[in-house]
Structure formats: structure tokens, C-alpha cells
């Protein structure tokens, strides 16, 4: 069991649910909420993340990408703790359970009343599961062609945040595009750190990540763009929300509670800036993932405070 928990890469799981938290509590601030949808969305997202981690372990393991040159923690197949056959079985089981969770999520969200929406989210669910597996598995995995960033940004940023809100409200709120993009950028930032750390070993294994294609110096600038852009986008979201959604407009500190998370994010950027040895970036993966989760939690709390203030305002 210990080896399977390690293969699931628990430190990546808080990051994967960040978009679900923000989208859910944004929906709550607009008067939409359903705990069944939240629970099923969380289980589906966690299933996708674990599935992606299992598939990544399997794909890189059987291709020989995970070898002695690799810097990070030894993977399950690489170290021989789990056999390729057992991992294939785990991938199948995880994919099936994730699919069941996704179907239940669609059912409780639309309940047969919105056939077109159900079809769209069914297709998105299939694409998400297939993409999680195909990242490193198969003859031509897209992770080996530098397209992993697109998958992470799309599914753990836009689809996660926008999708859960739409399941509650059956409508699109374009203001949510700001935090959805920010969470997508931060999630890509974690992947970029991983690719920066593994640049040397990935190049030897012909794993052409975006870092391998463009080089470490470019990757560091790209990383700063992702993190700083995310911080700016969340701040813009709070400003617009405060100005146009609050029934009592003005500067309200409650909605800016998330600024606390900018401290570890800024500290992270300083460490990345000073780094001269990519192999030493491994601890930053966990720090950035937890900082992103902290940001999503604090932003969600801010939205809850807004909801309580709004109720008090209209009650009085």
C-alpha cells in the first residue's frame, strides 16, 4: 500500500483540486451550490490526477526515461517496487473509477434536463481520461512532444474552474476566466519546474518537453511569466469583483485575503531566480503546489465572506 501511495504522488493532489474549490465557492457566492456536485467533482479531479501519475510512472518507466540520470524521487516501476503489469491494471481500475465518478457528476448536475450539456461534458470527461493516460503512454505520447503544458492548463485550469461553476449555474460568467487562467498558469508552473529539474535526463531520453525544446534559460523566464501573470490575474479578479459584485462597493479587506499566499509565491520566485543548478529545484515543486492550494483556499474563504456580507446587507 505504501508503494501505491507513493506512486499516486500525494504531494500533487492538493494542486489538482484548486480549480474545483475556486469554481465551487464562486458559484456559492452567486447563490448556486450542491454538495453532491462538489464531492463528485473532487473525486473525479483526484481520479484524473492519480490516473495521470500512474500513467506517467508507467510510460516513463517502460520507455527507460526514468533511469539513474533522473533527479527526483525514484518512481515505482523504475525502482522495481511495482511491476509494469500491476501498474497497467491500476491504470485501468483508476480510469474506470474516474469515469464512473464523472458520469455520476454529469447526472447529478444536469439530471436529464440538459442533454446537450450532458453530451459536452461526457466528451470532456472522455478526453480528460484519455489525455491523462496518453501524456507518456503509447508510441507517440504528447508529453514527449512538449504538449503537456496544454493539457495541464486546459483541464486543471479552465475546465476544472469553469466546468464546476457551469454545472452549478448552467451559465458562463466571464469574470471567472481570470482565476481559472491563474490556476491554470500555476499548475503549468509546477509541470515546468518538473521539466526544468529533469531537463538533462529528458534530453538524453528523447523526451522533448517544452524545456528541452527551448532550454533552461528560456524555461526560467517562462516560469516567471506563469507565476507573476497568475498573481496579477487573481488580483484583477478581486478588484473587479469588489467593484461590480459587492452591493456595498469600496475597499473590503475580506476579498483580498488571498494576498497572504503571495508571500510564499514571491519567496518561491526568488529561489528560482537564484537557482543555478536545476537538480536542486525538486523541493520547489511541493512548495509551489501547496502555495497554489493555499491561494485557492484563501480565495474561496474570501468568496464565503462576501456571501455572508451580502446576506447581511440584503437582510438589513
Amino acid at each position: 500500500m505504501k508503494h501505491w501511495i507513493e506512486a499516486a504522488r500525494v504531494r500533487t493532489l492538493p494542486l489538482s483540486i484548486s480549480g474545483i474549490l475556486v469554481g465551487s465557492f464562486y458559484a456559492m457566492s452567486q447563490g448556486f451550490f450542491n454538495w453532491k456536485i462538489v464531492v463528485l467533482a473532487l473525486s473525479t479531479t483526484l481520479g484524473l490526477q492519480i490516473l495521470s501519475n500512474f500513467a506517467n510512472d508507467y510510460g516513463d518507466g517502460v520507455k527507460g526515461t526514468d533511469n539513474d540520470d533522473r533527479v527526483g524521487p525514484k518512481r515505482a516501476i523504475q525502482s522495481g517496487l511495482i511491476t509494469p503489469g500491476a501498474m497497467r491494471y491500476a491504470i485501468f481500475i483508476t480510469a474506470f473509477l474516474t469515469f464512473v465518478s464523472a458520469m455520476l457528476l454529469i447526472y447529478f448536475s444536469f439530471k436529464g434536463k440538459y442533454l446537450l450539456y450532458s453530451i459536452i461534458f461526457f466528451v470532456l470527461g472522455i478526453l480528460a481520461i484519455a489525455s491523462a493516460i496518453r501524456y507518456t503512454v503509447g508510441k507517440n505520447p504528447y508529453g514527449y512532444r512538449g504538449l503537456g503544458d496544454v493539457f495541464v492548463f486546459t483541464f486543471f485550469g479552465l475546465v476544472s474552474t469553469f466546468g464546476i461553476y457551469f454545472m452549478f449555474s448552467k451559465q458562463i460568467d466571464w469574470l471567472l476566466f481570470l482565476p481559472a487562467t491563474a490556476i491554470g498558469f500555476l499548475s503549468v508552473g509546477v509541470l515546468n519546474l518538473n521539466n526544468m529539474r529533469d531537463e538533462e535526463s529528458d534530453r538524453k531520453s528523447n523526451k522533448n518537453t517544452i524545456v528541452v525544446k527551448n532550454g533552461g534559460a528560456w524555461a526560467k523566464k517562462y516560469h516567471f511569466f506563469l507565476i507573476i501573470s497568475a498573481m496579477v490575474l487573481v488580483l484583477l479578479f478581486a478588484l473587479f469583483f469588489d467593484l461590480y459584485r459587492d452591493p456595498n462597493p469600496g475597499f473590503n479587506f475580506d476579498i483580498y485575503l488571498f494576498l497572504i499566499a503571495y508571500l510564499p509565491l514571491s519567496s518561491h520566485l526568488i529561489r528560482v531566480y537564484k537557482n543555478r543548478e536545476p537538480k536542486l529545484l525538486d523541493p520547489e515543486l511541493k512548495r509551489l503546489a501547496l502555495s497554489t492550494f493555499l491561494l485557492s483556499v484563501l480565495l474561496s474563504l474570501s468568496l464565503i465572506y462576501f456571501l455572508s456580507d451580502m446576506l447581511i446587507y440584503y437582510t438589513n
Side-chain angles (χ1 to χ4, degrees), residues 140-162:
N140 192 25
Y142 66 87
Y144 280 64
R145 293 181 283 128
L147 297 175
D149 298 51
V150 177
F151 164 72
V152 171
F153 176 76
T154 301
F155 287 102
F156 290 103
L158 298 182
V159 173
S160 177
T161 313
F162 262 118

Side-chain angles (χ1 to χ4, degrees), residues 235-251:
L235 183 58
L236 286 175
F237 167 75
L239 290 171
F240 285 127
F241 193 92
D242 197 11
L243 287 172
Y244 299 112
R245 299 297 171 84
D246 197 325
N248 186 23
F251 185 84

Side-chain angles (χ1 to χ4, degrees), residues 13-307:
L13 301 185
L15 176 69
S16 66
I17 66 174
S18 296
I20 298 295
L21 290 178
V22 173
S24 296
F25 285 100
Y26 185 74
M28 178 187 284
S29 73
Q30 307 300 307
F32 307 105
F33 204 70
N34 185 324
W35 277 108
K36 290 180 180 178
I37 295 177
V38 174
V39 171
L40 288 168
L42 289 173
S43 66
T44 301
T45 302
L46 289 172
L48 283 172
Q49 182 65 64
I50 294 171
L51 175 63
S52 179
N53 292 340
F54 283 168
N56 182 246
D57 196 308
Y58 176 80
D60 283 347
V62 298
K63 287 179 173 64
T65 306
D66 288 341
N67 51 46
D68 292 338
D69 292 329
R70 190 175 180 279
V71 180
K74 285 188 177 295
R75 298 305 181 204
I77 290 179
Q78 174 193 6
S79 59
L81 297 173
I82 296 175
T83 66
M87 187 61 80
R88 282 198 303 270
Y89 183 72
I91 290 171
F92 174 80
I93 294 297
T94 307
F96 175 74
L97 292 176
T98 303
F99 176 78
V100 171
S101 179
M103 293 305 100
L104 289 173
L105 174 61
I106 292 171
Y107 171 76
F108 282 108
S109 298
F110 304 122
K111 296 183 178 178
K113 297 179 181 179
Y114 304 91
L115 180 59
L116 179 59
Y117 298 159
S118 297
I119 292 173
I120 291 173
F121 276 89
F122 174 79
V123 173
L124 283 173
I126 295 297
L127 287 175
I129 292 172
S131 298
I133 296 173
R134 287 285 297 164
Y135 177 59
T136 59
V137 174
K139 294 182 179 180
N140 192 25
Y142 66 87
Y144 280 64
R145 293 181 283 128
L147 297 175
D149 298 51
V150 177
F151 164 72
V152 171
F153 176 76
T154 301
F155 287 102
F156 290 103
L158 298 182
V159 173
S160 177
T161 313
F162 262 118
I164 185 66
Y165 175 77
F166 189 86
M167 285 181 158
F168 285 119
S169 65
K170 315 302 184 291
Q171 63 189 31
I172 294 176
D173 189 327
W174 291 108
L175 184 60
L176 193 59
F177 178 78
L178 296 174
T181 302
I183 291 172
F185 280 169
L186 291 169
S187 300
V188 173
V190 175
L191 177 62
N192 187 56
L193 276 177
N194 181 84
N195 292 337
M196 289 170 67
R197 180 199 65 190
D198 295 340
E199 179 185 0
E200 185 178 340
S201 61
D202 285 345
R203 181 173 283 108
K204 291 180 181 179
S205 302
N206 293 318
K207 185 177 183 180
N208 294 314
T209 64
I210 194 170
V211 176
V212 171
K213 287 183 175 182
N214 297 283
W218 178 91
K220 186 175 285 191
K221 295 177 183 177
Y222 175 53
H223 193 73
F224 273 84
F225 164 78
L226 291 170
I227 308 306
I228 294 174
S229 296
M231 294 167 71
V232 171
L233 287 170
V234 175
L235 183 58
L236 286 175
F237 167 75
L239 290 171
F240 285 127
F241 193 92
D242 197 11
L243 287 172
Y244 299 112
R245 299 297 171 84
D246 197 325
N248 186 23
F251 185 84
N252 299 293
F253 177 76
D254 291 348
I255 195 65
Y256 299 97
L257 185 64
F258 65 88
L259 289 173
I260 296 172
Y262 282 23
L263 297 175
L265 286 172
S266 299
S267 178
H268 162 75
L269 288 175
I270 292 172
R271 285 190 293 269
V272 172
Y273 176 76
K274 293 181 177 179
N275 178 267
R276 296 295 179 268
E277 182 55 59
K279 295 180 180 181
L280 302 179
L281 287 172
D282 187 65
E284 294 304 313
L285 274 78
K286 182 177 180 180
R287 292 190 183 110
L288 180 55
L290 291 178
S291 297
T292 303
F293 180 65
L294 174 64
L295 175 65
S296 68
V297 169
L298 292 176
L299 185 56
S300 299
L301 288 175
S302 298
L303 293 170
I304 293 175
Y305 289 143
F306 165 79
L307 177 62

